[in-house]
Amino acid sequence: MPLTPLDIHNKEFSRRLRGYDEDEVNEFLDQVIKDYEGVIRENKELSNQLLSVQEKLDHFATIEETLSKTIIIAQEAADDVKNNAKKEAQLIVKEAEKNADRIVNEALGKSRKIALEVEELKKQASIYRARFRTLVEAQLELLTQDGWEALESREQEVRDREREMKEIY
């Protein structure tokens, strides 16, 4: 157990014959008491400072730990956002490709349908021209002939030609 200034102050020495000078010893003890009190005071101040510094250190260590965790969480969140964005972009691209394929297929289907319609219209126009030509030729022949017999035979020819044309197309 350490000495206190009071212990030093209350210390009494036994007296002997040729001992130390009592006033000199008391003065020295008074000086030791003062110095010892100063050392104790300084020790308390340093202990308080140490405690304060330790509290600050603990506080900063807690802040550092919190910041580290926050940075890790932020990094994980950023990675999650990045991964989700990539997945979403891939889905958008796939959907766009699917829509593009559908649009191209629809356009090809319409193109084929229009081509078939054009061919059908060409056939109908050809049939119409052939019929019209036959009719015009028959009318011209009718005008050049005098009798109805020729007209009747001509009508029969027209019908025959129309039948032939229908069979061809």
Side-chain angles (χ1 to χ4, degrees), residues 38-51:
V39 168
I40 289 175
R41 226 178 295 118
E42 185 180 349
N43 191 15
K44 272 189 178 179
E45 287 175 11
L46 289 174
S47 292
N48 288 339
Q49 285 178 357
L50 179 64
L51 185 61

Side-chain angles (χ1 to χ4, degrees), residues 10-160:
N10 291 335
K11 176 68 175 167
E12 293 216 12
F13 297 96
S14 52
R15 296 185 200 261
R16 294 202 178 169
L17 202 50
R18 295 184 78 202
Y20 292 113
D21 180 9
E22 191 176 330
D23 290 334
E24 197 176 314
V25 169
N26 284 338
E27 272 181 39
F28 181 74
L29 287 175
D30 287 342
Q31 183 62 40
V32 168
I33 290 170
K34 273 191 212 174
D35 291 347
Y36 194 67
E37 283 177 344
V39 168
I40 289 175
R41 226 178 295 118
E42 185 180 349
N43 191 15
K44 272 189 178 179
E45 287 175 11
L46 289 174
S47 292
N48 288 339
Q49 285 178 357
L50 179 64
L51 185 61
S52 175
V53 168
Q54 187 63 43
E55 287 175 0
K56 286 180 183 178
L57 181 63
D58 291 345
H59 175 71
F60 288 128
T62 303
I63 289 174
E64 180 185 17
E65 184 180 338
T66 303
L67 286 175
S68 294
K69 287 179 182 177
T70 303
I71 289 171
I72 290 170
I73 290 171
Q75 183 65 41
E76 288 172 354
D79 290 343
D80 288 346
V81 167
K82 189 168 130 182
N83 289 336
N84 289 339
K86 282 183 182 178
K87 287 178 184 176
E88 189 173 339
Q90 289 172 347
L91 288 175
I92 289 171
V93 167
K94 284 181 183 178
E95 186 67 26
E97 288 173 349
K98 195 165 54 171
N99 284 339
D101 288 343
R102 180 184 51 79
I103 290 169
V104 167
N105 288 335
E106 286 176 3
L108 287 173
K110 286 180 182 179
S111 172
R112 287 184 193 119
K113 184 178 175 185
I114 290 171
L116 291 174
E117 288 176 3
V118 167
E119 286 299 317
E120 184 62 30
L121 287 173
K122 284 181 181 178
K123 286 179 187 177
Q124 289 177 3
S126 178
I127 291 170
Y128 174 75
R129 277 194 305 229
R131 284 183 183 169
F132 190 69
R133 184 180 299 122
T134 304
L135 180 64
V136 168
E137 287 173 357
Q139 291 297 319
L140 280 173
E141 224 177 282
L142 182 62
L143 289 174
T144 57
Q145 288 184 354
D146 291 335
W148 288 102
E149 298 92 31
L151 180 61
E152 288 177 359
S153 68
R154 197 63 177 147
E155 283 181 15
Q156 187 60 37
E157 284 179 25
V158 169
R159 283 189 210 123
D160 290 342

